Amino acid sequence: MKPASNMITIFLSAIVLSGILQSCGASEAKDEHAHTAAAPPAAAVPEAFTLQKGEMNSSIQIPGELIAFQRVDLYAKVSSFVRKLYVDVGSEVSAGQLLVTMEAPELNAQLSGAESRLKSQEAIYLSSKATYNRLLETSKTPGTVSQNDLDIAFAKQKSDLAQLEAARASYREVGDTRNYLEIRAPFSGIISKRNVSAGAYVGPAGKGSDLPIFTLQEQKKLRLVVSVPEAYTSYLRSNSEVKFTAKSFPGETFKASVSRLSGALDERLRSQSIEMDVANNDKKLLPGMVAEVSIPLASGHTNAFVVPSKAVLNSTRGVYVIKVVSDKAIWLPVKTGRKMEDKTEVFGELQLNDILIKTANEEIRDSSVIKKVNLVEIK
């Protein structure tokens, strides 16, 4: 019986030893797996690019106003009454066309008086001139006419001539004033306002002068007036073509060219007024319309560097780009210019072909070690 008992004991001992070994192996495997899971991942290689110069030809959207190229309010020059109106609101007129006639009876009386004085002075002058001529002929015979009498006759002739010229000027003045009773169009255009009717009193002063008789506007040529903010004035160029739209014609684009720059900033708005000439032969556009203007901004900086907008770091310390120098990240202070889509102009102590981090962030510390970068091409 003892040999059988010893065999059972040995068998049980082998089973226990096998379990212990398996337990130890599983524990070691778990420890190895845990160690592997706890290992930190490899650091990502940052993307970088080579700095190059570029030019940004962008545009800005600014509201503008269409106004008539020429606009005038027509008033009465003399106190009078409207006799007849030949045009009305919406009438198209040409330069020199008669628009309204007025009447002032007292002017007719003044003109008749000036004419009478002119004729009287002409007769006086002709008489004094004839007298002087006769004395001059007689004086050729020695001892007949004294030199003093001849000088007096000559002075009388000159005085009467001066009086005649004054009478003529007075007559022309009254005649010119009478011509103001007719108002003609100074240029071709359209009558946009009429403020009087036949029989109304009009004049240079008093109740009849508070409103113009007509407002005339040129319609075949318009001015597009835009106030450009100070930040964009350096990019403007004369004769640049611009595009604009009007709410009255959705989906339609019109063109114009920059014709005039004011050359000074408005003291209140801090902006420069620019004007563009707009051909409007079909009279589709109307004075007073509001336009949305797209103004091209040609780059005024030939030495500007253009970088992706993500490469510019805006921190509490300032604005930086991260430059890679000798395996180190250097925060380089810069100033930014224009932005267009995902690109930004930067200015600072930058050199051509500098290596910059494409996506700058504060996790990349100043003077930190960067042993490797992934160079990518920036388009």
Side-chain angles (χ1 to χ4, degrees), residues 107-336:
L107 283 180
N108 295 329
Q110 293 176 12
L111 186 62
S112 298
E115 185 179 9
S116 298
R117 287 190 295 273
L118 175 60
K119 290 180 178 180
S120 174
Q121 197 61 46
E122 284 179 346
I124 294 174
Y125 169 70
L126 291 175
S127 175
S128 62
K129 182 180 180 181
T131 301
Y132 171 74
N133 289 336
R134 285 193 298 269
L135 289 175
L136 181 62
E137 287 296 324
T138 305
S139 66
K140 292 178 180 180
T141 302
T144 55
V145 178
S146 67
Q147 185 62 40
N148 183 55
D149 291 341
L150 189 62
D151 291 342
I152 291 174
F154 181 73
K156 180 69 168 59
Q157 176 191 349
K158 291 296 184 182
S159 175
D160 291 342
L161 178 60
Q163 294 294 326
L164 175 60
E165 293 298 331
R168 284 174 178 170
S170 178
Y171 179 77
R172 284 195 301 267
E173 180 184 2
V174 177
D176 291 340
T177 302
R178 189 170 179 270
N179 290 336
Y180 287 129
L181 295 178
E182 291 183 350
I183 296 181
R184 298 180 180 273
F187 54 84
S188 299
I190 188 169
I191 301 296
S192 59
K193 288 184 181 180
R194 176 185 66 82
N195 297 307
V196 300
S197 298
Y201 169 78
V202 292
K207 186 177 180 180
S209 64
D210 50 357
L211 292 173
I213 298 175
F214 292 117
T215 297
L216 175 64
Q217 300 192 56
E218 185 176 354
Q219 200 177 16
K220 290 186 178 181
K221 189 176 182 181
L222 303 177
R223 298 174 188 258
L224 178 57
V225 182
V226 182
S227 294
V228 178
E230 180 180 1
Y232 300 103
T233 55
S234 62
Y235 300 103
L236 293 175
R237 293 178 181 174
S238 183
N239 299 323
S240 297
E241 186 178 85
V242 302
K243 297 180 180 180
F244 66 95
T245 58
K247 293 182 179 179
S248 303
F249 305 100
E252 190 169 355
T253 302
F254 303 91
K255 295 181 180 180
S257 59
V258 177
S259 303
R260 289 165 293 278
L261 292 83
S262 65
L265 296 182
D266 181 89
E267 296 180 356
R268 183 173 58 88
L269 300 177
R270 310 307 302 175
S271 60
Q272 180 178 208
S273 177
I274 66 173
E275 291 186 358
M276 290 146 280
D277 294 342
V278 180
N280 190 39
N281 293 324
D282 56 0
K283 304 173 188 175
K284 191 173 185 178
L285 299 171
L286 301 178
M289 281 185 172
V290 176
E292 187 72 19
V293 187
S294 176
I295 299 180
L297 299 178
S299 178
H301 304 285
T302 57
N303 296 321
F305 290 106
V306 179
V307 301
S309 296
K310 292 183 179 179
V312 180
L313 174 61
N314 291 281
S315 71
T316 55
R317 294 163 51 187
V319 181
Y320 300 88
V321 294
I322 301 178
K323 179 180 176 180
V324 179
V325 181
S326 300
D327 297 336
K328 283 189 177 182
I330 305 298
W331 284 27
L332 193 64
V334 294
K335 292 183 179 180
T336 59

